[in-house]
Amino acid sequence: MSTYFVTGATGFLGSALVERLLARETCDRVYVLVRPASQDKLDRIAARWPRRELVMPVLGDLAEDGLGLSDVDRRRLAGGIDHLLHLGAVYDLTATEEHNSAVNVDGTQRVVDLAAELAVSWLHHVSSVAVAGEHRGVFTEQDFDLGQRFASPYHATKFAAEQIVRSQHAVPWRIYRPAVVVGDSRTGEIDKVDGPYFFFPTFARLAKLPSRLPLVGADLGATNVVPVDYVVDAIDHLAHAAHPPGRTFHLTSPRPQPITEVYNAFAAVAGAPTMAFSLPGPLSAPLRALSDRGLRALSRAAERVPGAKLVFERLGVPAEALPHLTLTATFDSTATQGALAGSGLRVPELREYSDTLWRYWRDHLDPDRARRPRSGGALGGRTVMITGASSGIGRATALAVARHGGIPLLVARRAEELAQVREEITSAGGTAFTYPCDLTDAEAVRAMLKDVLAQHEAVDMLVNNAGRSIRRSLLRSTDRQHDFERTMAINYHAPVRLILGLLPHMTARRFGHIVNISTQGTQVGTPRFAAYLASKAALDAFTRVASAEAHGNGITFTTVHMPLVRTPMIEPTKVYRRLPAASPEQAANLVLKALIKRPTRISLPVGTLGAASYAIAPKAVDRVMNVIYRLGAV
């Protein structure tokens, strides 16, 4: 029976390795070092492990003296650990040198000290091919310090950490150097975007081009990619095999993968154009040298040139990663392949599992996956929150959304009427949910949004339709300040409150569309509606600013300048009975257009003419509107 102590168990590689250890019949106990702040994460990960009752969390931190272990834990662990597997590390090319050193170097020294103190039988250190730095040529499993330089703090600290393990003689050790680790070759699972995944959004964009478009490639160097299941299976096998101490194993592809080959493997499964042929070596050499210099220059520029880093962020590629797209060394794994002989373990060709990696990324990690068109149409399966949904435009919009396959989230004060709208939708075979709420009550809105986000995976769209209209001249409003405050509360503050409440959620998903129902009165300047139009104009101005700020996050806005609509809101105003008005269904069609087409603005001819006239001749428009006001036509 074997007892293990594992650092980095909440990381992707570490969690997969713990799962393998627990599956061994000879596993007696697995102690995992976990930071107090990561206990919940460990619980979530451990939920899928077999025999999780064998897992014993040990609170600590690689960055703390003595790993932060309590005296009780030290006594409990002393003399009882067969294998200490050290996987905890910072793998972030954007991290500072101090942070890299504190975890990767100082943390490894603390692990080595603990291994000696506890008298563990074996110390297994998971290093990286990064120790080769900028070495050019073959780098064998016996090679270590060849005078190589390091292009980043991460590479330098991985070298320093391995040196610490090699320099100690208290505990027998083995070292494992994985190449660029990608997802599981059988499931595609991975927990973060890294390495070649940085360029998957580019493949998705290129897929819009004709797939038969021939591209010309060049020899821009090579990388070395291995799936996580091979890495953890190999470590599991090698850690328990009868090999002498002091061995280093390259968990790498037996042959380097040219960048053009990697591109074609993913471009083919993404549906993007592939490289039909490559330039001969003599022609590629200058391009490769130019590429190497160019990538380093771009990385430096991102730190120095204002706005340059933003460009890379929009592309999804950290500028710090650009100089490390290719490996200058070629890694010899002959000894490792020999040690694995008879185990059935081999590194699959990238083309054998690239489609699996692509599908997993597309379904789980694509930052724009929420924006992709769906089989049910633009609204198919989309959750659409609609305020003022108990009657009028809101009710008609909810019914229309449901007919188009959307899922309306009905919001209004009147619970009974909301229930009736939901019944109409469900009777027709649709799905809807009701959320009675007073939108002028900030606490009620917060509670409602909390419930919505707990019950639904996403809120894709928001229609701010609820509103209040007041028709009263200014001279008759001099003692009615509350009219202006009431209209502002529901027409402006309420939608802004909802937008701000949903903005972080939509930003995280990089998708959201918000429709704000305004009125063509803001374009015309209709007399007697100062309170109403001012509140709508405030929302229009807010929307214009929010639209610009949120655009880069995949969030879009539409302002619908509605005409007069015959709804319960206008019934108290007798003059409206003589004027032509749209039906709620006609108004809902405008909202539907806003949800499906997502234009910035929807305006009708009367409103557009009013805005243009005022821009050209404002005084003339004022005189005309004053005559209309005195005649009482509106």
Side-chain angles (χ1 to χ4, degrees):
M1 301 298 285
S2 298
T3 302
Y4 307 89
F5 185 96
V6 182
T7 70
T10 57
F12 182 61
L13 195 60
S15 64
L17 182 57
V18 170
E19 187 172 358
R20 297 294 194 282
L21 298 176
L22 291 169
R24 298 183 69 88
E25 293 182 0
T26 56
C27 177
D28 181 57
R29 182 81 64 190
V30 180
Y31 295 97
V32 297
L33 183 72
V34 58
R35 293 180 299 151
S38 298
Q39 291 183 84
D40 289 343
K41 182 179 180 181
L42 176 64
D43 290 340
R44 292 194 300 272
I45 293 172
R48 71 178 190 182
W49 287 342
R51 302 200 293 170
R52 57 181 299 187
E53 69 275 6
L54 300 182
V55 178
M56 299 294 294
V58 177
L59 296 182
D61 192 326
L62 290 173
E64 293 185 10
D65 291 340
L67 296 180
L69 268 61
S70 68
D71 292 338
V72 172
D73 282 332
R74 290 178 182 279
R75 289 192 295 269
R76 177 168 56 130
L77 298 170
I81 304 298
D82 298 302
H83 299 275
L84 193 161
L85 298 106
H86 178 40
L87 294 89
V90 171
Y91 175 47
D92 183 357
L93 294 171
T94 67
T96 64
E97 184 174 359
E98 292 76 15
H99 186 47
N100 269 292
S101 182
V103 177
N104 294 351
V105 182
D106 299 340
T108 299
Q109 182 64 63
R110 295 180 183 110
V111 168
V112 167
D113 293 342
L114 179 68
E117 177 188 335
L118 301 180
V120 305
S121 300
W122 283 95
L123 171 62
H124 305 275
H125 176 64
V126 178
S127 182
S128 166
V129 294
V131 300
E134 296 184 329
H135 174 77
R136 293 188 177 274
V138 176
F139 198 83
T140 72
E141 290 152 310
Q142 291 73 43
D143 290 334
F144 179 58
D145 190 350
L146 302 181
Q148 62 267 40
R149 296 186 305 170
F150 301 98
S152 77
Y154 168 74
H155 292 73
T157 55
K158 293 304 287 185
F159 176 89
E162 187 173 314
Q163 190 170 45
I164 290 171
V165 175
R166 290 174 170 275
S167 300
Q168 63 86 34
H169 303 287
V171 180
W173 54 266
R174 288 174 183 164
I175 290 172
Y176 312 89
R177 295 174 182 161
V180 178
V181 179
V182 293
D184 193 294
S185 66
R186 300 156 304 180
T187 66
E189 181 180 2
I190 196 168
D191 66 343
K192 68 174 183 177
V193 169
D194 193 17
Y197 289 91
F198 287 136
F199 298 92
F200 277 27
T202 301
F203 293 133
R205 295 185 186 101
L206 289 174
K208 298 176 182 178
L209 298 173
S211 61
R212 295 184 179 180
L213 181 68
L215 300 180
V216 178
D219 178 11
L220 299 179
T223 185
N224 198 296
V225 174
V226 287
V228 66
D229 49 304
Y230 169 76
V231 174
V232 297
D233 285 341
I235 293 175
D236 179 38
H237 178 84
L238 296 168
H240 297 91
H243 297 297
R247 291 283 302 273
T248 300
F249 300 98
H250 277 173
L251 306 181
T252 60
S253 172
R255 67 174 185 84
Q257 293 125 326
I259 293 298
T260 53
E261 182 180 307
V262 174
Y263 170 85
N264 279 344
F266 290 118
V269 297
T274 56
M275 295 185 183
F277 58 92
S278 295
L279 296 174
L283 294 177
S284 292
L287 290 176
R288 180 174 179 180
L290 181 63
S291 173
D292 288 344
R293 290 195 299 270
L295 290 174
R296 294 181 187 280
L298 284 172
S299 180
R300 291 192 297 269
E303 296 297 326
R304 300 172 184 173
V305 179
K309 196 162 189 175
L310 178 62
V311 174
F312 292 107
E313 289 177 0
R314 293 293 299 272
L315 292 174
V317 182
E320 294 85 352
L322 290 175
H324 312 295
L325 297 180
T326 59
L327 300 172
T328 56
T330 300
F331 297 94
D332 183 348
S333 61
T334 303
T336 299
Q337 298 306 314
L340 293 175
S343 68
L345 297 177
R346 72 175 185 91
V347 182
E349 291 288 336
L350 180 59
R351 65 174 180 274
E352 296 176 23
Y353 62 97
S354 57
D355 59 335
T356 304
L357 301 184
W358 174 261
R359 285 197 304 270
Y360 187 90
W361 172 84
R362 181 176 171 83
D363 293 342
H364 301 280
L365 297 175
D366 179 4
D368 293 324
R369 62 189 180 279
R371 306 174 64 181
R372 289 200 299 262
R374 302 188 177 186
S375 58
L379 298 182
R382 295 290 190 190
T383 51
V384 184
M385 179 178 287
I386 304 168
T387 67
S390 58
S391 64
I393 299 173
R395 172 185 168 278
T397 297
L399 295 174
V401 166
R403 284 196 301 271
H404 282 74
I407 303 171
L409 308 180
L410 312 174
V411 180
R413 287 178 302 166
R414 301 186 292 272
E416 290 185 6
E417 294 185 23
L418 285 181
Q420 291 173 4
V421 178
R422 181 182 61 188
E423 177 61 27
E424 284 187 72
I425 292 171
T426 56
S427 296
T431 301
F433 298 85
T434 61
Y435 295 93
C437 180
D438 180 355
L439 294 174
T440 64
D441 184 334
E443 288 302 321
V445 171
R446 274 192 285 270
M448 183 269 291
L449 289 178
K450 183 178 180 180
D451 288 344
V452 168
L453 295 177
Q455 295 168 17
H456 301 276
E457 180 183 350
V459 175
D460 295 300
M461 299 174 175
L462 167 66
V463 178
N464 282 310
N465 166 71
R468 174 193 294 271
S469 175
I470 294 178
R471 179 180 182 272
R472 184 172 284 111
S473 68
L474 291 175
L475 284 176
R476 294 177 57 198
S477 302
T478 54
D479 59 347
R480 297 182 62 87
Q481 176 67 26
H482 60 278
D483 284 348
F484 295 85
E485 293 170 353
R486 285 190 300 165
T487 52
M488 209 67 167
I490 188 64
N491 295 348
Y492 176 70
H493 291 299
V496 168
R497 190 175 290 119
L498 285 172
I499 292 169
L500 296 180
L502 291 173
L503 198 59
H505 168 74
M506 290 181 170
T507 299
R509 300 180 69 239
R510 288 181 54 80
F511 175 77
H513 186 62
I514 297 167
V515 178
N516 289 327
I517 305 302
S518 185
T519 170
Q520 67 182 15
T522 59
Q523 302 169 293
V524 175
T526 313
R528 290 187 172 85
F529 286 91
Y532 176 61
L533 298 187
S535 63
K536 289 297 187 180
L539 184 60
D540 290 355
F542 172 90
T543 302
R544 182 171 178 178
V545 174
S547 181
E549 291 189 14
H551 182 78
N553 296 325
I555 302 169
T556 51
F557 290 75
T558 299
T559 295
V560 180
H561 293 291
M562 280 289 179
L564 184 64
V565 182
R566 204 161 299 286
T567 66
M569 187 175 75
I570 72 169
E571 286 180 359
T573 307
K574 295 180 180 179
V575 69
Y576 285 149
R577 299 171 187 173
R578 304 194 306 267
L579 299 179
S583 69
E585 289 70 27
Q586 290 172 319
N589 286 335
L590 294 178
V591 180
L592 207 61
K593 178 181 177 182
L595 292 170
I596 294 174
K597 300 295 185 181
R598 302 175 204 164
T600 301
R601 183 181 298 105
I602 293 178
S603 295
L604 297 180
V606 170
T608 302
L609 177 62
S613 299
Y614 193 78
I616 296 170
K619 289 186 178 180
V621 171
D622 283 345
R623 285 194 290 270
V624 171
M625 297 307 291
N626 181 259
V627 171
I628 293 174
Y629 162 67
R630 291 183 178 279
L631 292 174
V634 294

